[in-house]
Amino acid sequence: MNILVISNNYPSPAYPARGVFVYNLIQQFCKLGHKVTVISPRKLKMSSFRKGKSYGVENCEVYRPSFFSVSSLQLGSFNTYRIAELGQIKGVQKTVKKNNIQFDVVYTHFMINGIIAVSALKEYGKPIFCAIGESDLVSFTKRYPKKYFDQSISGLNGFIAVSNKLKGQLMSYGIPEKKIFMKPNAVDLQRFYRRDKGDMRKKFGFPNELKLVAFVGRFMPHKGPLRVLEAVEKLDNVGVLFIGSGPQDPKGESVVFKGSVPSFEIPELLSAADVFVLPTQKEGSCNAIAEAIACGLPIVSSNIPEVKDQCHPSFSILVDPMDVNALKVAIHSVISDNQKCLEMSKNALDYAKNFEIGDRALSILNFIEARMKDKTALSK
């Protein structure tokens, strides 16, 4: 197939870490023999000069039209995001026409891009599919007038939801269950696998005498880095690797590492740890959790539906993400019992086979092709 991908969350030389999980999936589409063209609209301020870095081998033709944005502010019944949306719609239209892009199907990532594609490409009459990976759709839909939102999603021919929570929300908007394929996010097991712990600690200069907790994600309140730090500070001989960045700033003697790293270093840092901890309050389908599982780490995370979709009790302990004492108890129960830790690690590695990105890409394309072959399904 000729697949046109619309996603404003896709890496570039200027922003190599942006949308890496989208990039990884789309590259798998290419490896499966499909011709893929990506249109990734970017804000004007992102178009200014910035020293670039390689974000990996690119097997697609990628276009990055610019658009003007004034953020997302609610002014009465009007949300200023609609200005940016119009700019992206026009950018997609101009790019397709100028470059005479030929496509059989449109794959969009995140609902905003699905809505953009419906408006920008309706004249072509091609089926449009949308991957839903937001942590929540309810708050997102408030930026649109209800009639416009309902009309837009009715123009989408199928949805890939990364959690049962999101599948349920789609159905609450009147989307038939047969139009929804639920498949959690996945990882490239050729890149994310367990390295020798001792070797990785030596490489990064981490002490061998400490038990190490790994946190990966934005340093935001809903992700909970400061709750992790508070829990660990109540334990003896435990340090934390804070991998990421954000407005919150975990500080203290327990912080062994803090900062953003290239994507290839994340599995190495995870392999240096004993347990992965993420007390998140909301997710779509958490890539960081999938990556930690692939590296064989026991998981301590949140007792919320979207995390339950990813974690099996054989390698995870799920608690109230706001309960610091429960986090402390869960972490201690893993790191204080070497045999338990080893068993959870083995179970995580076995379970990681369910998160292979090539299999996920193939199953998504099979769903799309099945919908496309059923002409009556595309009209419903």
Side-chain angles (χ1 to χ4, degrees):
M1 289 191 296
N2 289 339
I3 304 172
L4 174 59
V5 175
I6 308 295
S7 176
N8 54 20
N9 191 38
Y10 196 83
S12 68
Y15 294 87
R18 182 179 177 84
V20 171
F21 63 97
V22 180
Y23 159 81
N24 288 334
L25 177 67
I26 301 309
Q27 299 308 306
Q28 293 295 322
F29 288 177
C30 296
K31 291 179 181 179
L32 290 169
H34 301 277
K35 181 180 179 181
V36 182
T37 303
V38 177
I39 300 179
S40 181
R42 57 183 180 177
K43 297 178 184 178
L44 277 172
K45 67 178 182 179
M46 295 178 67
S47 304
S48 59
F49 177 79
R50 178 173 172 173
K51 187 176 180 181
K53 298 179 181 179
S54 172
Y55 59 85
V57 176
E58 181 58 80
N59 295 301
C60 310
E61 188 74 32
V62 183
Y63 299 93
R64 298 182 176 90
S66 300
F67 67 92
F68 177 71
S69 173
V70 287
S71 191
S72 178
L73 303 173
Q74 195 68 38
L75 303 176
S77 61
F78 179 75
N79 192 295
T80 58
Y81 167 75
R82 300 298 303 282
I83 298 172
E85 181 189 47
L86 181 60
Q88 291 175 82
I89 290 170
K90 291 186 177 298
V92 170
Q93 290 174 331
K94 289 180 180 179
T95 302
V96 171
K97 290 179 179 179
K98 179 180 178 180
N99 298 282
N100 192 28
I101 297 173
Q102 303 297 309
F103 57 97
D104 305 307
V105 62
V106 182
Y107 176 89
T108 67
H109 212 99
F110 295 135
M111 182 70 86
I112 56 173
N113 293 298
I115 291 174
I116 288 167
V118 169
S119 294
L121 303 171
K122 56 187 175 185
E123 66 182 271
Y124 296 91
K126 301 294 185 179
I128 302 173
F129 292 81
C130 185
I132 307 298
E134 293 87 339
S135 60
D136 181 68
L137 288 178
V138 176
S139 57
F140 159 80
T141 57
K142 293 178 181 178
R143 68 176 67 177
Y144 299 100
K146 185 178 185 305
K147 183 178 180 180
Y148 175 75
F149 177 77
D150 291 343
Q151 289 176 340
S152 296
I153 63 173
S154 68
L156 293 164
N157 303 103
F159 299 84
I160 298 90
V162 298
S163 70
N164 282 307
K165 170 189 169 182
L166 289 171
K167 178 180 178 180
Q169 289 185 352
L170 285 170
M171 292 175 66
S172 74
Y173 294 129
I175 305 298
E177 186 173 9
K178 64 183 178 182
K179 289 181 68 172
I180 308 169
F181 177 56
M182 202 289 283
K183 189 73 173 176
N185 285 337
V187 295
D188 185 348
L189 298 182
Q190 299 298 312
R191 295 174 56 238
F192 283 87
Y193 58 89
R194 182 171 60 183
R195 279 77 166 170
D196 182 81
K197 184 186 297 184
D199 289 346
M200 293 302 101
R201 291 198 177 193
K202 182 177 180 180
K203 176 176 180 176
F204 291 100
F206 299 153
N208 287 318
E209 67 273 13
L210 290 183
K211 295 291 186 178
L212 292 181
V213 168
F215 170 99
V216 180
R218 288 279 290 160
F219 297 169
M220 302 285 287
H222 77 271
K223 291 285 189 179
L226 299 187
R227 295 192 294 278
V228 174
L229 181 60
E230 185 180 351
V232 166
E233 287 178 335
K234 299 177 180 180
L235 298 170
D236 294 328
N237 299 315
V238 182
V240 192
L241 311 178
F242 285 106
I243 306 164
S245 63
Q248 292 194 329
D249 186 15
K251 296 179 180 178
E253 294 182 0
S254 298
V255 179
V256 175
F257 176 90
K258 178 175 63 178
S260 297
V261 299
S263 60
F264 69 85
E265 283 190 355
I266 293 177
E268 296 179 342
L269 287 166
L270 289 173
S271 296
D274 297 284
V275 60
F276 177 84
V277 183
L278 184 70
T280 177
Q281 292 177 276
K282 57 182 180 179
E283 291 291 331
S285 176
C286 184
N287 290 283
I289 289 177
E291 292 165 357
I293 294 170
C295 291
L297 284 181
I299 307 296
V300 173
S301 190
S302 308
N303 189 21
I304 57 177
E306 48 269 50
V307 173
K308 287 181 178 180
D309 284 339
Q310 292 183 278
C311 292
H312 190 272
S314 65
F315 60 81
S316 66
I317 301 175
L318 306 184
V319 301
D320 180 346
M322 303 304 293
D323 188 336
V324 173
N325 188 63
L327 280 174
K328 182 200 76 171
V329 171
I331 294 168
H332 182 261
S333 72
V334 175
I335 62 175
S336 63
D337 187 336
N338 288 336
Q339 185 58 38
K340 179 178 182 178
C341 195
L342 287 171
E343 289 178 2
M344 293 179 75
S345 177
K346 179 182 180 301
N347 292 335
L349 289 171
D350 290 341
Y351 198 77
K353 298 170 186 176
N354 297 313
F355 293 102
E356 208 288 310
I357 196 168
D359 290 343
R360 183 174 192 267
L362 180 60
S363 64
I364 288 172
L365 292 173
N366 286 341
F367 167 72
I368 289 173
E369 289 176 343
R371 291 283 301 172
M372 290 175 65
K373 288 177 182 177
D374 187 348
K375 301 300 182 182
T376 59
L378 288 177
S379 62
K380 295 180 180 180

